[in-house]
Amino acid sequence: MNRAERIYRIHGLLKGSRRPVPLARLMEELGASRATVVRDLAYMRDFMGAPLPYDRNLNGYGYDPNAPEFELPGLWFNASELYALLATEQLLESVQPGLLGPSLGPLKGRIRTLLGESGHSSQTVSQRVRLQPMAPRRVDDRLFGQVSAAVLESMPLHIEYHGRERDTFSQRRVHPYRLTHYRDNWYLIAWCDQANSLRTFSLDRIRQAEPVEGPLRPVDASLLDRYLGGSFGIFTGTVEHWAVLRFTSERARWVADENWHPDQIGSWDGDVYELQVPYSDPRELLMDILKYGPDVEVAAPASLRRQVAARLRAAWERYRGPGD
């Protein structure tokens, strides 16, 4: 049991007994050591305000009958635990019936049990705490299975890929290394024989995927880590520039608390917040800059500043009316 489970079990034992419960019985019921049970009781008393006097005669504990009736507060999760449980539950609910149905049923039940450890029913938690995906793109289940199997089994693939930027189809032989879920969408990190380099492929743009004979091209794990984490966003690769962004005082109150990249540098200049982030390809960074409109200025490099200015001029031309 984890601490939450043990505390709920202790609470149930104490509530269900008219006399203090001996420490030996608590240890037996919880399958825990004396030290663990004593720590849990101290936690209930010191942090939850439980009226738990020690009964020397019975060497046990019970709720003080003269104190107001005690109920456990909702035991909550930290942010990452709650996100993981809710994301898992929503993912399982979206799975269509298939071969895994008999196995997924008990897993769903376990997730709901874990959500219930908050002190509220899993249904209440799921209804009142929501995860809202942002613009996810649909990936064919069969194709996802083929690509993920190739990644896990180290098999080269022949893919037909429809690139968005040039709106063209291409045939490629790739060596798949990793699947990455980024901003609610899936990407394949692979070595492309045609490009003779690492490439990132959006899974929703892969039209066909077939395994091919031959060994997988070896790759050093540290190289993949640098490729994936070296620069800003999904357009990975070797860092070529550092963007220097200056946010107005109004927008700085938000941006100063955000993590754009593990190696970012942030500093205050009066009431202006300056953020520096490394990047290799400006496309995604441009979109994130432009969404802040007049609340951000690109101080460097000059090439990025010119690109942002060109986009803003083009937007102005589109919206400009006859009298402007």
Side-chain angles (χ1 to χ4, degrees):
M1 298 184 186
N2 60 31
R3 171 175 278 178
E5 292 173 315
R6 292 196 306 270
I7 287 177
Y8 269 102
R9 183 65 177 145
I10 291 171
H11 180 65
L13 291 168
L14 300 185
K15 291 280 287 187
S17 177
R18 296 182 178 181
R19 305 177 61 193
V21 180
L23 190 57
R25 184 187 171 198
L26 293 174
M27 294 164 56
E28 179 181 358
E29 292 283 348
L30 272 64
S33 68
R34 176 189 178 91
T36 297
V37 174
V38 170
R39 279 197 301 269
D40 289 342
L41 291 165
Y43 185 90
M44 293 175 67
R45 182 176 57 245
D46 297 337
F47 293 96
M48 297 179 174
L52 278 174
Y54 172 68
D55 188 293
R56 188 178 298 276
N57 294 327
L58 292 176
N59 187 28
Y61 293 82
Y63 288 133
D64 186 350
N66 299 318
E69 185 173 358
F70 175 77
E71 289 296 341
L72 284 178
L75 297 181
W76 204 238
F77 311 101
N78 64 36
S80 61
E81 290 170 337
L82 181 60
Y83 179 87
L85 289 172
L86 286 174
T88 303
E89 185 199 40
Q90 292 184 19
L91 178 62
L92 291 174
E93 287 300 320
S94 69
V95 174
Q96 298 297 318
L99 294 175
L100 291 178
S103 299
L104 293 180
L107 182 56
K108 291 179 183 179
R110 179 58 178 158
I111 295 298
R112 293 191 182 102
T113 298
L114 290 172
L115 283 170
E117 288 187 5
S118 66
H120 309 280
S121 71
S122 61
Q123 184 177 12
T124 298
V125 176
S126 299
Q127 286 177 344
R128 299 185 183 181
V129 183
R130 303 295 293 173
L131 303 183
Q132 188 65 48
M134 179 62 182
R137 299 188 291 266
R138 174 68 179 169
V139 177
D140 179 80
D141 289 340
R142 181 185 61 83
L143 188 142
F144 183 87
Q146 292 172 322
V147 174
S148 59
V151 171
L152 296 174
E153 297 173 16
S154 300
M155 296 187 304
L157 283 173
H158 178 271
I159 65 172
E160 179 181 313
Y161 192 72
H162 182 198
R164 277 193 180 87
E165 189 168 4
R166 296 184 178 87
D167 195 23
T168 57
F169 288 86
S170 60
Q171 306 291 325
R172 298 168 180 261
R173 178 189 171 101
V174 299
H175 301 257
Y177 298 128
R178 290 185 184 175
L179 279 175
T180 298
H181 193 252
Y182 175 76
R183 294 194 177 187
D184 292 316
N185 289 290
W186 287 100
Y187 297 88
L188 172 67
I189 312 302
W191 181 271
C192 176
D193 282 350
Q194 282 78 353
N196 196 34
S197 65
L198 285 170
R199 286 289 188 267
T200 301
F201 299 96
S202 180
L203 252 65
D204 66 296
R205 308 309 292 175
I206 298 178
R207 296 298 180 241
Q208 295 182 27
E210 298 292 339
V212 296
E213 296 294 331
L216 192 76
R217 187 183 191 277
V219 66
D220 185 78
S222 61
L223 175 64
L224 283 177
D225 291 337
R226 290 195 300 273
Y227 177 80
L228 286 168
S231 59
F232 177 86
I234 196 61
F235 293 108
T236 48
T238 304
V239 173
E240 297 182 3
H241 305 283
W242 278 79
V244 180
L245 313 176
R246 293 176 61 82
F247 292 87
T248 63
S249 58
E250 293 79 9
R251 187 52 53 190
R253 292 194 292 271
W254 281 266
V255 177
D257 293 329
E258 296 175 355
N259 182 24
W260 289 38
H261 189 273
D263 297 329
Q264 71 182 36
I265 301 170
S267 61
W268 288 93
D269 181 9
D271 60 354
V272 172
Y273 184 73
E274 183 176 284
L275 178 66
Q276 300 182 38
V277 292
Y279 71 97
S280 58
D281 187 304
R283 283 175 288 176
E284 185 179 353
L285 184 57
L286 278 169
M287 291 188 291
D288 279 330
I289 292 171
L290 289 167
K291 73 182 183 182
Y292 288 104
D295 291 319
V296 63
E297 177 189 0
V298 178
S303 59
L304 183 63
R305 184 181 176 93
R306 287 194 297 269
Q307 287 176 296
V308 172
R311 295 290 185 94
L312 291 173
R313 281 194 296 270
W316 165 243
E317 290 296 331
R318 183 175 294 275
Y319 284 96
R320 186 172 62 173
D324 294 329

